[in-house]
Structure formats: structure tokens, C-alpha cells
Amino acid sequence: RPEPNIEATVSEKPNPSVGADTIIGSFTPEDLDALQRMKAAPRLKPSTARQSFELRAPTQQLYEEVAKRFGYQVIFDKDFTPSTTPIRFAVTDADYRSALHALEAATSTFIVPISETAMLVAQDSQQKRAELEHSEAVALEIPQRTSIQEAQELAMLVGQTLEIKRIAVDPQRRQIMIRDHAWKVEAAQAILSEM
């Protein structure tokens, strides 16, 4: 399939960055505790639909239309201030992830899944992300064909690239533990599984 053509008016405001505290080493007691108590965050049920949009509307209406077309519901954060200025949003043949990421970028907002079919939308700020984004911890098995040294190198690369708060390789357990915001954990899992 060809890559979706995405065009959106993007705000000049940069995304907040989280300082990385990536550490490679055996699991600590805190890591083991996090793996026990931090449950998987809600995720949107993947939509198989591909959609094209040519819209010009305020932020709230854009979200409602895009979400409806993929079968999702939108709830807006209590501090969300709807913009009345129309934003041009054009996306061609995009899956739900591409369309929603483009919409986040175009509107200076971010999405927090709250169930398989519902999402919370909030203004993008470091404070709001810290307040609303789910955190989780997962342990991934290291395949037998991968050496511990290769796993450590991959973990370090992924940790630095995504600015993961905590990533550890435990040689005895042959596991990689990742702890951060759910979207970063999901991205790290996807990258590591491909590598």
C-alpha cells in the first residue's frame, strides 16, 4: 500500500520533551515492583478502515468528525479550550493512527485512550501530559538467537531514541524491561520486535 498523503496546518509550538533517564542493567526491586503493579494502559481498538479527509473546521469539530469516521468517541479534557479558528485538515488514504497523529500535530493537542472506542483530547503541554498520560511497565523476552550484548545495544539505542525513562536488560531473566508513558512503551516494543 502506498504511504498516506498527509497535509495539515501545524502549530509552531514544539512538543514538550521528557528528559531520558535510560539505564541498562539488571532489574532493581523498583523495576520488579513496577512490573507487578503497573497494568497495561487502555488502547484504542485498531480500525481497519482507511479514510481521506478534506476538512476546514475548528479543533473540536475536526476531532468529532475524524473519530466518528473511524468508529471512536471523543471526550474533551475539562481544561480544553476549543478554538474557533477553522483549521485546514487534509489527509489521503490514512489509517486511524496516521490520521489521529496528524490531527494532534495540526491542533497542538494529544490523545489519551480511555477505552477501546473512546479517547480523551487535551491541549498539548508538559503539565497536561504528566497529569493525563498513562504509564506502564512491561518485560519483553529476549529471543535465544539474540545475545545479551546485542539486546543491551538495541535497548540503549531504543532508549535514547525515544527518551525512555527506564529501560533495563536483565541477563539472568533474559528480559528487557521498559517503563514510561504507554505510547512510548508501545513504540519501543514495536521497534524492538522489528529489530
Side-chain angles (χ1 to χ4, degrees), residues 11-75:
S11 165
E12 293 295 316
K13 181 178 142 193
N15 284 336
S17 61
V18 180
D21 184 19
T22 304
I23 301 168
I24 302 297
S26 297
F27 296 174
T28 65
E30 291 81 17
D31 294 335
L32 296 173
D33 178 57
L35 287 168
Q36 286 292 322
R37 68 182 166 74
M38 295 178 85
K39 305 295 182 214
R43 302 269 198 287
L44 290 174
K45 183 178 180 182
S47 170
T48 57
R50 297 187 74 84
Q51 299 284 340
S52 295
F53 298 94
E54 182 61 55
L55 304 171
R56 186 170 177 81
T59 303
Q60 196 164 342
Q61 289 175 339
L62 288 176
Y63 264 107
E64 288 167 350
E65 178 63 25
V66 172
K68 181 176 80 174
R69 296 257 297 269
F70 286 110
Y72 302 128
Q73 294 178 312
V74 182
I75 298 167

Side-chain angles (χ1 to χ4, degrees), residues 117-128:
T117 58
M119 66 186 87
L120 178 72
V121 176
Q123 298 297 146
D124 196 353
S125 71
Q126 203 164 0
Q127 178 184 344
K128 272 294 169 188

Side-chain angles (χ1 to χ4, degrees), residues 91-190:
V91 177
T92 304
D93 192 35
D95 64 11
Y96 79 103
R97 284 180 197 255
S98 299
L100 291 174
H101 287 316
L103 190 52
E104 286 175 313
T107 59
S108 296
T109 57
F110 70 101
I111 294 168
V112 179
I114 53 177
S115 76
E116 288 189 341
T117 58
M119 66 186 87
L120 178 72
V121 176
Q123 298 297 146
D124 196 353
S125 71
Q126 203 164 0
Q127 178 184 344
K128 272 294 169 188
R129 283 184 178 270
E131 179 186 326
L132 297 174
E133 284 187 328
H134 303 288
S135 290
E136 65 183 22
V138 298
L140 309 175
E141 298 295 325
I142 299 170
Q144 288 301 321
R145 67 182 183 276
T146 305
S147 72
I148 294 300
Q149 183 178 348
E150 289 172 323
Q152 288 175 330
E153 290 169 3
L154 288 172
M156 182 65 81
L157 176 67
V158 170
Q160 289 174 346
T161 302
L162 295 175
E163 297 183 326
I164 300 289
K165 284 183 187 172
R166 173 78 173 140
I167 189 164
V169 176
D170 193 311
Q172 284 74 39
R173 288 184 172 83
R174 289 194 60 82
Q175 291 181 330
I176 300 173
M177 192 276 300
I178 308 165
R179 186 174 74 215
D180 206 326
H181 291 300
W183 69 269
K184 284 191 179 187
V185 171
E186 186 175 15
Q189 284 180 282

